[in-house]
Amino acid sequence: MTHKPILEVLNGEVADTTPIWLMRQAGRYLPEYKKVRAKIPDFLSLCYNPDLAAEVTLQPIRRFGLDAAIVFSDILVIPDALGQKVEFYENSGPILHPLSSVDDIARLKCKNVAQHLDPVYQAINIVAQELSDKTALIGFSGAPWTVATYMVEGASSRDFTKVKRWAIAEPVGFQRLIDVLVDSISEHLIRQVSAGAEIIQIFDTWAGVLPSLEFQKWCISPVKEIVRRLQKHKPWVPIIGFPRGIGVNYKYYAFETGVNAVSIDSSVPLGWVETELKEVNIVQGNMDPIVLLAGGKPMIETCRSIEEVLGRGQYIFNLGHGVNKETPPENITAVIEEIRGQ
Ligand code: CP3
């Protein structure tokens, strides 16, 4: 029998120690990542190189012994697979050739998504063979709304005016984009599970920017449909939802979408999580990445207060958002020791 604490928790059992992994645990804060990245300047080429993607997936596992590995990829491989031009620049983040009409949506190449993303499944395959029987493997995708924000804005955005305006003013046309994304994301997730992913996480980083009516339409409904399809094809695979910045709506999201666990951002008060959210779902989160970066006493105190309130029962330690690239790796070692009580 394998003994993977994170799977035990997601299956409703209580593990001996709190399982821990970190969003964006592979990346530029690790010298060993920067070494690989220097050899392959184009970020997407790294994502599509199964051996190197597997290598950087395993780097944080070797260094820290986390409870889960998350396959090295990106949420923007979906627009890339759909034929939209996607480029990554060192300091400005991703740049896409933005969609601005229903005709642009109609031109997306919906048929070759799984074929284009085959290197991701190969990377999962390699990692699955390398991991010890204590470490679980997570596959992931962005949620339709968050992926759509990049496809329409053409870059990271401050106020999301273009994409929100389209979604609010022309919901029938915008629905076509969301439908394309529900299809391609569902297929991508199902294939990741077939390749060896044991858990799925859905990143909805920009869920918090929508008004409540639109939140229902563009965040809840599409994620609920993806969860339905995934559960139909792979009923045993736990699904973690990460809708960032949705406040009290975490409770509604947790029961309405059908996810098995909900990953919360750092603004959610722990007392509310304990009394309101843990009744509905398994919780993952929520140390602020800058608390991790800052380290020292505030970091250890935050670990303790999180562990004190959430540590009993079904709970997975994580951050409220991804690891910041300035983070000293030794802070992560200290957090793991604190959470595991070593
Ligand atoms: O968690 C992991 O270790 C797995 C890998 C992973 C990456 N991106 C690698 C990456 C995951 C899970 C993601 C998710 C992702 N990508 C999200 C959702 C989570 C979040 O952080 O909100 C989003 C919004 C993206 C889109 C994206 N990718 C942006 C905005 C950027 C540029 C900003 C930045 O951090 O550099 C990326 C690039 C990216 N994705 C990097 C990594 C390691 C840095 C690229 C590099 O090496 O230069």
Side-chain angles (χ1 to χ4, degrees):
M1 266 298 280
T2 56
H3 175 73
K4 302 188 180 190
I6 188 169
L7 285 178
E8 290 177 350
V9 166
L10 288 166
N11 287 324
E13 295 157 40
V14 178
D16 300 340
T17 52
T18 298
I20 170 169
W21 71 280
L22 304 173
M23 291 188 262
R24 304 281 294 264
Q25 64 194 18
R28 285 165 301 185
Y29 74 100
L30 284 178
E32 57 269 38
Y33 173 83
K34 282 194 261 188
K35 225 167 151 181
V36 174
R37 188 74 170 76
K39 283 193 286 189
I40 188 155
D42 174 45
F43 174 69
L44 279 179
S45 304
L46 173 55
C47 293
Y48 295 142
N49 181 315
D51 291 315
L52 290 180
E55 166 59 24
V56 294
T57 302
L58 291 164
Q59 286 174 344
I61 307 305
R62 290 194 201 108
R63 190 190 263 259
F64 305 115
L66 296 147
D67 290 288
I70 177 163
V71 63
F72 190 83
S73 183
D74 198 84
I75 66 166
L76 299 180
V77 296
I78 291 285
D80 186 57
L82 287 167
Q84 190 178 9
K85 195 166 182 228
V86 182
E87 286 169 307
F88 285 86
Y89 296 98
E90 177 69 40
N91 290 316
S92 58
I95 302 289
L96 296 84
H97 198 283
L99 306 182
S100 55
S101 66
V102 175
D103 287 346
D104 288 345
I105 299 170
R107 274 192 287 272
L108 293 170
K109 298 193 192 75
C110 305
K111 299 256 177 313
N112 10 355
V113 170
Q115 196 190 344
H116 187 91
L117 298 180
D118 191 61
V120 179
Y121 318 134
Q122 289 180 42
I124 288 176
N125 225 287
I126 298 168
V127 176
Q129 289 169 39
E130 298 268 323
L131 286 177
S132 83
D133 60 6
K134 289 188 172 50
T135 316
L137 178 51
I138 303 174
F140 75 92
S141 177
W145 166 252
T146 288
V147 176
T149 66
Y150 291 95
M151 295 176 82
V152 173
E153 297 286 339
S156 301
S157 172
R158 185 181 296 210
D159 54 15
F160 301 91
T161 309
K162 270 169 48 184
V163 66
K164 283 172 73 174
R165 181 178 181 170
W166 191 351
I168 292 165
E170 295 176 64
V172 176
F174 190 71
Q175 182 74 53
R176 294 198 198 172
L177 175 56
I178 295 297
D179 289 346
V180 166
L181 289 170
V182 166
D183 286 347
S184 44
I185 289 167
S186 301
E187 182 174 15
H188 184 43
L189 293 175
I190 290 166
R191 300 244 179 189
Q192 290 182 64
V193 177
S194 299
E198 301 167 284
I199 299 167
I200 289 298
Q201 176 148 324
I202 301 173
F203 289 87
D204 214 348
T205 303
W206 303 115
V209 306
L210 281 169
S212 59
L213 266 182
E214 280 74 19
F215 170 72
Q216 168 68 44
K217 198 163 169 57
W218 309 123
C219 290
I220 297 284
S221 302
V223 170
K224 188 174 179 170
E225 177 58 17
I226 291 168
V227 170
R228 191 189 68 76
R229 293 190 198 181
L230 200 50
Q231 283 175 345
K232 182 171 161 216
H233 292 273
K234 308 285 179 188
W236 63 90
V237 171
I239 305 166
I240 306 172
F242 173 54
R244 195 167 70 99
I246 65 168
V248 290
N249 274 330
Y250 272 110
K251 193 170 173 180
Y252 178 63
Y253 179 99
F255 71 78
E256 189 62 21
T257 58
V259 292
N260 304 82
V262 64
S263 195
I264 55 172
D265 67 71
S266 312
S267 72
V268 188
L270 296 177
W272 183 84
V273 177
E274 161 96 281
T275 54
E276 300 284 327
L277 193 57
K278 282 192 87 170
E279 279 174 16
V280 186
N281 225 336
I282 297 163
V283 173
Q284 171 176 281
N286 72 340
M287 179 188 271
D288 192 291
I290 307 304
V291 173
L292 177 69
L293 180 158
K297 210 169 150 217
M299 178 181 82
I300 297 303
E301 281 168 358
T302 303
C303 284
R304 287 188 187 146
S305 57
I306 293 177
E307 189 65 21
E308 206 179 289
V309 185
L310 301 181
R312 292 175 300 275
Q314 276 113 42
Y315 165 65
I316 301 162
F317 185 92
N318 206 311
L319 301 175
H321 198 189
V323 178
N324 182 290
K325 68 173 187 212
E326 315 289 336
T327 307
E330 55 274 20
N331 292 1
I332 295 181
T333 311
V335 164
I336 295 173
E337 283 176 6
E338 181 61 38
I339 295 299
R340 292 191 178 147
Q342 286 156 350

